[in-house]
């Protein structure tokens, strides 16, 4: 496995791979790799000849009061995990190389990114689309693999790829969950044992909602109210949103149409912002 830090070197290497007919699979990450990321490497390996994992904590997707500075960074351990999982290249650019002095061009998706997390993190998706387009231009992927846990991010990236005619297929990997039901996330590392115990109520509430839908509940109001009620019992949890949305457009649903919608939750567990979702 190779580790490449330089943007130019990564780009020439990718162009070389592509012209020799290799299919490139990209797994973009911000590091602190967990089973969720590693399962995306498995998918990329199945579909591509060469798998590139990018590890870059992207400053433009964090708001001024967010956790950019304290975001967990563990590059050596991450590189080792990529090696063990069979990635071919780990791309670890620096902030200076990705955003040189005077950088002034951003990509804005203006519809899907407006609701849900876009309401309280107004610059977040602009940072995500900008860095992903840069990563796509640098690594030239035939396929790019993202995790369903970030459902809105997945929908925004798919839309950007379609709108801007980017020649890559976006593949979505299922959310990975720990034994207690928590969706794997780098931010889970912020949680104490007590906080985690309460944060588990997020996935429990999602499963409860799915059971309600499976049992015939059609009312979005009813689902949202039950989930919110369930979460309000946790002392450390503060709900940011509970919404049923169309899984592609992220437009809020009026009634449950099984198979087409997601129930999305964002909540604070004390100081940690968590998101999760379930297909209804
Ligand atoms: O999901 C993430 O870790 C990030 O948003 C991504 C896609 C790597 C862009 O920085």
């Amino acid at each position: 496995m190779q580790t490449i830090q330089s943007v130019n070197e990564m780009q020439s290497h990718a162009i070389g791979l592509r012209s020799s007919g290799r299919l490139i699979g990209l797994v973009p990450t911000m590091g602190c790799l967990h089973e969720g990321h590693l399962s995306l490497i498995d998918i990329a390996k199945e579909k591509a000849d060469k798998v590139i994992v990018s590890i870059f904590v992207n400053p433009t997707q964090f708001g001024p009061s967010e956790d950019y500075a304290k975001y967990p960074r563990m590059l050596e351990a991450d590189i080792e995990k990529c090696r063990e999982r069979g990635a071919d290249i780990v791309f670890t650019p620096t902030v200076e190389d990705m955003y040189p002095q005077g950088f002034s061009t951003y990509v804005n998706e203006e519809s899907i990114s407006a609701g849900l997390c876009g309401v309280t993190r107004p610059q977040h998706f602009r940072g995500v689309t900008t860095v992903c387009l840069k990563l796509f231009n640098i690594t030239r992927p035939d396929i790019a693999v993202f995790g369903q846990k970030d459902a809105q991010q997945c929908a925004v990236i798919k839309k950007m790829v379609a709108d801007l005619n980017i020649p890559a297929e976006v593949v979505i990997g299922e959310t990975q969950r720990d034994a207690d039901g928590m969706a794997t996330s780098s931010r889970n590392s912020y949680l104490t044992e007590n906080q985690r115990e309460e944060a588990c109520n997020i996935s429990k509430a999602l499963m409860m909602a799915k059971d309600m839908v499976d049992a015939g509940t059609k009312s979005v109001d009813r689902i949202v109210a039950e989930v919110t009620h369930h979460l309000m019992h946790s002392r450390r949890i503060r709900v940011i949103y509970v919404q049923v949305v169309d899984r592609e457009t992220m437009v809020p649903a009026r009634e449950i149409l099984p198979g087409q919608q997601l129930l999305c939750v964002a909540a604070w567990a004390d100081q940690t912002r968590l998101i999760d979702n379930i297909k209804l």
Side-chain angles (χ1 to χ4, degrees):
M1 191 187 75
Q2 250 178 304
T3 304
I4 299 178
Q5 191 178 44
S6 144
V7 166
N8 285 339
E9 190 186 334
M10 182 68 253
Q11 195 177 45
S12 357
H13 194 72
I15 290 169
L17 284 173
R18 247 190 126 126
S19 60
S20 68
R22 301 313 211 304
L23 284 181
I24 300 179
L26 171 68
V27 181
T29 81
M30 298 207 298
C32 190
L33 302 183
H34 49 67
E35 190 51 36
H37 298 115
L38 302 177
S39 70
L40 304 182
I41 299 181
D42 296 342
I43 295 174
K45 275 169 66 83
E46 260 171 43
K47 295 185 173 271
D49 304 316
K50 290 282 175 195
V51 173
I52 304 173
V53 179
S54 64
I55 300 180
F56 178 63
V57 184
N58 172 38
T60 62
Q61 70 188 75
F62 290 81
S65 59
E66 294 181 1
D67 55 344
Y68 174 68
K70 73 162 191 175
Y71 196 84
R73 290 161 172 87
M74 40 188 71
L75 193 54
E76 288 313 310
D78 284 344
I79 291 174
E80 210 32 58
K81 286 180 187 171
C82 291
R83 190 194 313 279
E84 279 167 17
R85 206 64 170 224
D88 298 288
I89 299 168
V90 179
F91 175 47
T92 61
T94 62
V95 174
E96 295 71 28
D97 210 5
M98 287 293 275
Y99 297 109
Q101 272 274 304
F103 183 92
S104 61
T105 305
Y106 293 86
V107 182
N108 250 322
E109 191 289 322
E110 297 188 344
S111 166
I112 297 167
S113 55
L116 300 174
C117 288
V119 174
T120 46
R121 304 185 75 193
Q123 300 295 316
H124 173 67
F125 289 110
R126 180 183 86 143
V128 170
T129 44
T130 301
V131 81
C132 285
L133 183 57
K134 283 175 67 69
L135 290 169
F136 290 175
N137 284 333
I138 296 163
T139 65
R140 309 289 165 115
D142 295 277
I143 68 148
V145 194
F146 294 84
Q148 172 67 22
K149 201 207 60 135
D150 301 309
Q152 190 178 14
Q153 168 170 284
C154 292
V156 169
I157 298 289
K158 277 190 169 175
K159 189 67 178 9
M160 173 184 80
V161 163
D163 284 351
L164 301 183
N165 310 95
I166 298 167
E169 182 195 351
V170 176
V171 176
I172 309 301
E174 288 300 321
T175 302
Q176 301 297 306
R177 297 186 183 278
D178 291 323
D180 58 7
M182 277 276 280
T184 57
S185 163
S186 306
R187 288 191 170 97
N188 292 352
S189 66
Y190 296 146
L191 300 172
T192 64
E193 219 173 288
N194 287 342
Q195 288 169 336
R196 183 173 172 119
E197 221 168 89
E198 292 205 19
C200 280
N201 285 323
I202 297 173
S203 59
K204 285 188 189 132
L206 292 176
M207 314 280 174
M208 177 196 71
K210 169 96 174 88
D211 288 344
M212 287 174 69
V213 169
D214 291 346
T217 304
K218 288 265 181 289
S219 159
V220 169
D221 260 10
R222 193 75 235 157
I223 301 279
V224 169
E226 287 299 333
V227 169
T228 309
H229 178 71
H230 185 89
L231 291 176
M232 277 165 54
H233 278 114
S234 308
R235 214 163 44 89
R236 300 169 196 277
I237 304 293
R238 297 288 180 274
V239 173
I240 304 165
Y241 61 74
V242 175
Q243 271 189 46
V244 177
V245 296
D246 178 273
R247 65 179 185 193
E248 279 168 26
T249 61
M250 299 287 135
V251 169
R254 288 162 188 269
E255 69 169 329
I256 303 288
L257 301 170
Q260 262 184 235
Q261 293 159 332
L262 297 175
L263 170 61
C264 299
V265 171
W268 290 98
D270 287 337
Q271 302 338 314
T272 304
R273 191 181 192 282
L274 298 170
I275 55 170
D276 199 353
N277 66 83
I278 197 163
K279 290 180 190 162
L280 294 178

